[in-house]
Amino acid sequence: MALTMSDVDRFEASRPRLEAIAYRLLGSASEAEDAVQETFLRWQAADVDRIEVPEAWLTRVLTHLCLNQLTSARARRETYVGQWLPEPLLAGDPMLGPADTAEQRESVSYAVLALLERLSPSERAVYVLREAFDYPHREIAAILDLTEAASQQIFHRAKKHVADGKARTTVDEAAARRIVEEFLAAATSGRTEPLVRLLTQDAVAIGDGGGKVPARTKAFEGALAVAKFMRGLFKPSKAKRALAGGSPEVYATTANGGPALVAVLDGRVIGVMCLEVTAAGIAAFRSQANPDKLERATRRWAATDHGEPLLNAF
């Protein structure tokens, strides 16, 4: 049946919520967009007049599409070159979704998205629907073909897995900028000690180059190892400029609600470094350099005012 304009408008009203759900489930903005578009095609082919609760129907279709995608993604990531990290979303990106509660903000943080990779597809789905979108377990059970009791058990198990990660501290944009500026000052000082003081003892640094940009396949672990790596990373050299194709500008911003550095070269985002901040210091640096995962960030960057760079790297 052909959709009426009213049917199309009804779907478009749900699109932001569907995209936000899909992004949290998949960790990829491009895959989230594809899942939502496939959901629209299913909506287009359905007898929408017989669908009693369109929002529930759309959420169910989208969630099952994402579950299928997650299952195949796990197989693909077994052959992924190096570390796999989610696609970062810069400040103000509508795909970040609701941010009214601490749970909603945390559910889309880069640290939590990385932790969600530990969960099974069903655990991830229950966690996202409950924690980020406050779906009651009765509705989650209907979406996932579970009992309500099973949904509750899966949620508690998933939440414990996520809680086993490092405790996070929520920061606003002004605080995020101060943290980034302090880190950059230490990283460009040429000395290791100032960096070590900013880090937790078990700090880690992880990079995702996707086999397209050089990135270490194993994480740096421990404050001293991470500090030495960061000191070297921000030390200028002709080789680094040649590899990057120039001298990128580095800005302080937020990505996925947390402090981040963005490296930009000729208007193109070539790297996003997300900092995980805890009460004890900076616990993790997760750097996304795979160009396939930075296309949306580049579009977002071009559409926003980002002020002056903090430095010209390399």
Side-chain angles (χ1 to χ4, degrees):
M1 296 179 66
L3 293 182
T4 65
M5 284 305 299
S6 175
D7 296 330
V8 173
D9 290 343
R10 190 181 302 175
F11 180 88
E12 291 303 325
S14 295
R15 184 183 290 274
R17 178 181 57 83
L18 296 174
E19 287 189 343
I21 292 173
Y23 172 69
R24 284 166 169 82
L25 288 176
L26 300 173
S28 165
S30 59
E31 290 180 4
E33 289 174 337
D34 290 344
V36 172
Q37 186 58 29
E38 179 61 29
T39 302
F40 175 73
L41 295 177
R42 303 286 180 93
W43 174 252
Q44 192 175 39
D47 185 354
V48 297
D49 290 335
R50 301 183 63 181
I51 297 175
E52 295 182 3
V53 186
E55 180 181 281
W57 188 92
L58 291 170
T59 303
R60 177 182 170 84
V61 170
L62 174 80
T63 302
H64 281 274
L65 287 170
C66 289
L67 288 174
N68 291 338
Q69 182 73 7
L70 280 172
T71 301
S72 61
R74 283 174 177 256
R76 291 200 309 275
R77 287 171 195 170
E78 289 179 1
T79 59
Y80 192 82
V81 179
Q83 300 279 344
W84 186 95
L85 288 174
E87 182 176 344
L89 297 182
L90 300 185
D93 193 309
M95 196 176 279
L96 289 169
D100 300 326
T101 67
E103 291 79 11
Q104 289 173 337
R105 291 188 294 272
E106 187 175 75
S107 72
V108 79
S109 73
Y110 211 61
V112 167
L113 286 179
L115 287 170
L116 291 182
E117 289 296 306
R118 302 177 182 179
L119 306 183
S120 69
S122 61
E123 287 174 335
R124 188 163 182 161
V126 171
Y127 180 87
V128 166
L129 292 172
R130 179 63 184 158
E131 191 79 348
F133 295 91
D134 202 29
Y135 277 80
H137 284 290
R138 173 177 49 80
E139 293 185 23
I140 295 173
I143 289 170
L144 297 175
D145 299 320
L146 303 168
T147 65
E148 190 171 343
S151 177
Q152 292 171 339
Q153 291 172 353
I154 291 171
F155 174 69
H156 290 307
R157 186 167 65 241
K159 193 168 185 178
K160 184 181 185 303
H161 284 316
V162 174
D164 285 342
K166 293 183 176 68
R168 289 155 291 279
T169 301
T170 302
V171 295
D172 59 24
E173 290 195 36
R177 184 179 179 86
R178 289 194 298 271
I179 292 167
V180 169
E181 287 175 346
E182 187 176 5
F183 162 69
L184 271 183
T188 57
S189 68
R191 297 165 52 229
T192 303
E193 294 79 8
L195 273 168
V196 171
R197 288 196 293 270
L198 293 177
L199 308 178
T200 61
Q201 285 303 305
D202 58 350
V204 297
I206 306 168
D208 179 348
K212 300 184 177 183
V213 174
R216 182 181 165 94
T217 56
K218 291 184 63 178
F220 290 91
E221 298 180 352
L224 184 58
V226 172
K228 288 180 177 179
F229 166 66
M230 290 297 169
R231 185 189 65 188
L233 179 65
F234 286 94
K235 184 178 181 179
S237 74
K238 290 182 179 179
K240 291 176 186 173
R241 286 193 293 273
L243 184 64
S247 182
E249 297 175 329
V250 178
Y251 296 81
T253 186
T254 59
N256 293 75
L261 289 170
V262 175
V264 182
L265 183 63
D266 298 329
R268 179 171 54 89
V269 174
I270 63 169
V272 177
M273 178 185 288
C274 297
L275 283 64
E276 181 182 346
V277 179
T278 72
I282 302 173
F285 300 88
R286 296 181 177 89
S287 301
Q288 184 55 260
N290 184 343
D292 293 343
K293 298 182 183 181
L294 294 173
E295 293 178 0
R296 186 180 180 94
T298 294
R299 295 197 300 271
R300 179 71 191 169
W301 190 258
T304 57
D305 179 20
H306 30 72
E308 294 299 316
L310 295 180
L311 62 87
N312 284 85
F314 311 152

PDB file of all heavy atoms in Angstrom, residues 147-163:
ATOM      1  N   THR A 147       9.998 -12.891  28.115  1.00  0.00           N
ATOM      2  CA  THR A 147       9.092 -12.661  29.232  1.00  0.00           C
ATOM      3  C   THR A 147       9.562 -11.404  29.958  1.00  0.00           C
ATOM      4  O   THR A 147      10.725 -10.998  29.843  1.00  0.00           O
ATOM      5  CB  THR A 147       9.098 -13.837  30.219  1.00  0.00           C
ATOM      6  OG1 THR A 147      10.401 -13.930  30.820  1.00  0.00           O
ATOM      7  CG2 THR A 147       8.757 -15.144  29.514  1.00  0.00           C
ATOM      8  N   GLU A 148       8.669 -10.794  30.694  1.00  0.00           N
ATOM      9  CA  GLU A 148       9.036  -9.603  31.450  1.00  0.00           C
ATOM     10  C   GLU A 148      10.120  -9.914  32.479  1.00  0.00           C
ATOM     11  O   GLU A 148      11.055  -9.122  32.689  1.00  0.00           O
ATOM     12  CB  GLU A 148       7.796  -9.017  32.131  1.00  0.00           C
ATOM     13  CG  GLU A 148       8.018  -7.644  32.740  1.00  0.00           C
ATOM     14  CD  GLU A 148       6.712  -7.006  33.199  1.00  0.00           C
ATOM     15  OE1 GLU A 148       5.625  -7.466  32.775  1.00  0.00           O
ATOM     16  OE2 GLU A 148       6.788  -6.035  33.980  1.00  0.00           O
ATOM     17  N   ALA A 149      10.022 -11.080  33.109  1.00  0.00           N
ATOM     18  CA  ALA A 149      11.030 -11.477  34.090  1.00  0.00           C
ATOM     19  C   ALA A 149      12.396 -11.643  33.434  1.00  0.00           C
ATOM     20  O   ALA A 149      13.429 -11.245  33.998  1.00  0.00           O
ATOM     21  CB  ALA A 149      10.610 -12.770  34.777  1.00  0.00           C
ATOM     22  N   ALA A 150      12.420 -12.206  32.228  1.00  0.00           N
ATOM     23  CA  ALA A 150      13.689 -12.387  31.519  1.00  0.00           C
ATOM     24  C   ALA A 150      14.308 -11.046  31.168  1.00  0.00           C
ATOM     25  O   ALA A 150      15.530 -10.860  31.270  1.00  0.00           O
ATOM     26  CB  ALA A 150      13.470 -13.218  30.260  1.00  0.00           C
ATOM     27  N   SER A 151      13.473 -10.104  30.757  1.00  0.00           N
ATOM     28  CA  SER A 151      13.963  -8.761  30.443  1.00  0.00           C
ATOM     29  C   SER A 151      14.618  -8.123  31.663  1.00  0.00           C
ATOM     30  O   SER A 151      15.689  -7.520  31.573  1.00  0.00           O
ATOM     31  CB  SER A 151      12.815  -7.885  29.941  1.00  0.00           C
ATOM     32  OG  SER A 151      13.258  -6.563  29.706  1.00  0.00           O
ATOM     33  N   GLN A 152      13.976  -8.261  32.814  1.00  0.00           N
ATOM     34  CA  GLN A 152      14.530  -7.698  34.048  1.00  0.00           C
ATOM     35  C   GLN A 152      15.869  -8.351  34.399  1.00  0.00           C
ATOM     36  O   GLN A 152      16.825  -7.663  34.782  1.00  0.00           O
ATOM     37  CB  GLN A 152      13.535  -7.892  35.192  1.00  0.00           C
ATOM     38  CG  GLN A 152      12.265  -7.053  35.036  1.00  0.00           C
ATOM     39  CD  GLN A 152      11.206  -7.419  36.063  1.00  0.00           C
ATOM     40  OE1 GLN A 152      11.218  -8.515  36.632  1.00  0.00           O
ATOM     41  NE2 GLN A 152      10.279  -6.495  36.310  1.00  0.00           N
ATOM     42  N   GLN A 153      15.956  -9.663  34.254  1.00  0.00           N
ATOM     43  CA  GLN A 153      17.199 -10.377  34.573  1.00  0.00           C
ATOM     44  C   GLN A 153      18.328  -9.968  33.629  1.00  0.00           C
ATOM     45  O   GLN A 153      19.463  -9.742  34.057  1.00  0.00           O
ATOM     46  CB  GLN A 153      16.963 -11.884  34.499  1.00  0.00           C
ATOM     47  CG  GLN A 153      16.073 -12.426  35.603  1.00  0.00           C
ATOM     48  CD  GLN A 153      15.703 -13.886  35.382  1.00  0.00           C
ATOM     49  OE1 GLN A 153      16.010 -14.467  34.346  1.00  0.00           O
ATOM     50  NE2 GLN A 153      15.026 -14.484  36.358  1.00  0.00           N
ATOM     51  N   ILE A 154      18.003  -9.870  32.342  1.00  0.00           N
ATOM     52  CA  ILE A 154      19.010  -9.477  31.358  1.00  0.00           C
ATOM     53  C   ILE A 154      19.503  -8.067  31.647  1.00  0.00           C
ATOM     54  O   ILE A 154      20.703  -7.776  31.567  1.00  0.00           O
ATOM     55  CB  ILE A 154      18.440  -9.580  29.932  1.00  0.00           C
ATOM     56  CG1 ILE A 154      18.213 -11.047  29.568  1.00  0.00           C
ATOM     57  CG2 ILE A 154      19.371  -8.920  28.918  1.00  0.00           C
ATOM     58  CD1 ILE A 154      17.456 -11.253  28.274  1.00  0.00           C
ATOM     59  N   PHE A 155      18.574  -7.180  32.001  1.00  0.00           N
ATOM     60  CA  PHE A 155      18.956  -5.788  32.279  1.00  0.00           C
ATOM     61  C   PHE A 155      19.907  -5.716  33.470  1.00  0.00           C
ATOM     62  O   PHE A 155      20.938  -5.023  33.417  1.00  0.00           O
ATOM     63  CB  PHE A 155      17.718  -4.940  32.542  1.00  0.00           C
ATOM     64  CG  PHE A 155      18.045  -3.535  32.975  1.00  0.00           C
ATOM     65  CD1 PHE A 155      18.610  -2.634  32.083  1.00  0.00           C
ATOM     66  CD2 PHE A 155      17.804  -3.111  34.270  1.00  0.00           C
ATOM     67  CE1 PHE A 155      18.925  -1.345  32.477  1.00  0.00           C
ATOM     68  CE2 PHE A 155      18.113  -1.823  34.672  1.00  0.00           C
ATOM     69  CZ  PHE A 155      18.671  -0.936  33.773  1.00  0.00           C
ATOM     70  N   HIS A 156      19.574  -6.408  34.554  1.00  0.00           N
ATOM     71  CA  HIS A 156      20.435  -6.355  35.735  1.00  0.00           C
ATOM     72  C   HIS A 156      21.815  -6.932  35.428  1.00  0.00           C
ATOM     73  O   HIS A 156      22.834  -6.411  35.909  1.00  0.00           O
ATOM     74  CB  HIS A 156      19.786  -7.112  36.890  1.00  0.00           C
ATOM     75  CG  HIS A 156      18.577  -6.422  37.455  1.00  0.00           C
ATOM     76  ND1 HIS A 156      18.608  -5.108  37.879  1.00  0.00           N
ATOM     77  CD2 HIS A 156      17.305  -6.842  37.652  1.00  0.00           C
ATOM     78  CE1 HIS A 156      17.416  -4.755  38.324  1.00  0.00           C
ATOM     79  NE2 HIS A 156      16.601  -5.787  38.183  1.00  0.00           N
ATOM     80  N   ARG A 157      21.861  -7.985  34.620  1.00  0.00           N
ATOM     81  CA  ARG A 157      23.148  -8.569  34.248  1.00  0.00           C
ATOM     82  C   ARG A 157      23.949  -7.603  33.380  1.00  0.00           C
ATOM     83  O   ARG A 157      25.156  -7.397  33.598  1.00  0.00           O
ATOM     84  CB  ARG A 157      22.904  -9.885  33.502  1.00  0.00           C
ATOM     85  CG  ARG A 157      24.184 -10.655  33.199  1.00  0.00           C
ATOM     86  CD  ARG A 157      23.887 -12.068  32.744  1.00  0.00           C
ATOM     87  NE  ARG A 157      23.170 -12.101  31.474  1.00  0.00           N
ATOM     88  CZ  ARG A 157      21.948 -12.633  31.325  1.00  0.00           C
ATOM     89  NH1 ARG A 157      21.310 -13.141  32.364  1.00  0.00           N
ATOM     90  NH2 ARG A 157      21.380 -12.655  30.131  1.00  0.00           N
ATOM     91  N   ALA A 158      23.279  -6.973  32.410  1.00  0.00           N
ATOM     92  CA  ALA A 158      23.961  -6.033  31.522  1.00  0.00           C
ATOM     93  C   ALA A 158      24.447  -4.813  32.292  1.00  0.00           C
ATOM     94  O   ALA A 158      25.570  -4.330  32.088  1.00  0.00           O
ATOM     95  CB  ALA A 158      23.012  -5.595  30.398  1.00  0.00           C
ATOM     96  N   LYS A 159      23.612  -4.322  33.202  1.00  0.00           N
ATOM     97  CA  LYS A 159      23.994  -3.130  33.967  1.00  0.00           C
ATOM     98  C   LYS A 159      25.202  -3.413  34.838  1.00  0.00           C
ATOM     99  O   LYS A 159      26.075  -2.558  35.016  1.00  0.00           O
ATOM    100  CB  LYS A 159      22.811  -2.659  34.813  1.00  0.00           C
ATOM    101  CG  LYS A 159      23.006  -1.254  35.386  1.00  0.00           C
ATOM    102  CD  LYS A 159      21.721  -0.709  35.963  1.00  0.00           C
ATOM    103  CE  LYS A 159      21.921   0.732  36.420  1.00  0.00           C
ATOM    104  NZ  LYS A 159      20.661   1.333  36.957  1.00  0.00           N
ATOM    105  N   LYS A 160      25.278  -4.629  35.379  1.00  0.00           N
ATOM    106  CA  LYS A 160      26.433  -4.986  36.196  1.00  0.00           C
ATOM    107  C   LYS A 160      27.698  -5.031  35.353  1.00  0.00           C
ATOM    108  O   LYS A 160      28.760  -4.549  35.771  1.00  0.00           O
ATOM    109  CB  LYS A 160      26.216  -6.341  36.864  1.00  0.00           C
ATOM    110  CG  LYS A 160      27.346  -6.736  37.805  1.00  0.00           C
ATOM    111  CD  LYS A 160      27.098  -8.095  38.436  1.00  0.00           C
ATOM    112  CE  LYS A 160      28.199  -8.405  39.466  1.00  0.00           C
ATOM    113  NZ  LYS A 160      29.553  -8.370  38.882  1.00  0.00           N
ATOM    114  N   HIS A 161      27.604  -5.577  34.140  1.00  0.00           N
ATOM    115  CA  HIS A 161      28.768  -5.606  33.251  1.00  0.00           C
ATOM    116  C   HIS A 161      29.266  -4.197  32.961  1.00  0.00           C
ATOM    117  O   HIS A 161      30.471  -3.932  32.968  1.00  0.00           O
ATOM    118  CB  HIS A 161      28.415  -6.301  31.931  1.00  0.00           C
ATOM    119  CG  HIS A 161      28.326  -7.792  32.033  1.00  0.00           C
ATOM    120  ND1 HIS A 161      29.247  -8.551  32.720  1.00  0.00           N
ATOM    121  CD2 HIS A 161      27.424  -8.672  31.520  1.00  0.00           C
ATOM    122  CE1 HIS A 161      28.923  -9.820  32.632  1.00  0.00           C
ATOM    123  NE2 HIS A 161      27.813  -9.929  31.912  1.00  0.00           N
ATOM    124  N   VAL A 162      28.328  -3.288  32.692  1.00  0.00           N
ATOM    125  CA  VAL A 162      28.707  -1.913  32.385  1.00  0.00           C
ATOM    126  C   VAL A 162      29.271  -1.229  33.629  1.00  0.00           C
ATOM    127  O   VAL A 162      30.261  -0.495  33.563  1.00  0.00           O
ATOM    128  CB  VAL A 162      27.505  -1.127  31.828  1.00  0.00           C
ATOM    129  CG1 VAL A 162      27.861   0.349  31.657  1.00  0.00           C
ATOM    130  CG2 VAL A 162      27.065  -1.717  30.492  1.00  0.00           C
ATOM    131  N   ALA A 163      28.644  -1.475  34.787  1.00  0.00           N
ATOM    132  CA  ALA A 163      29.094  -0.847  36.028  1.00  0.00           C
ATOM    133  C   ALA A 163      30.482  -1.325  36.435  1.00  0.00           C
ATOM    134  O   ALA A 163      31.189  -0.631  37.164  1.00  0.00           O
ATOM    135  CB  ALA A 163      28.103  -1.130  37.156  1.00  0.00           C
TER     136      ALA A 163
END
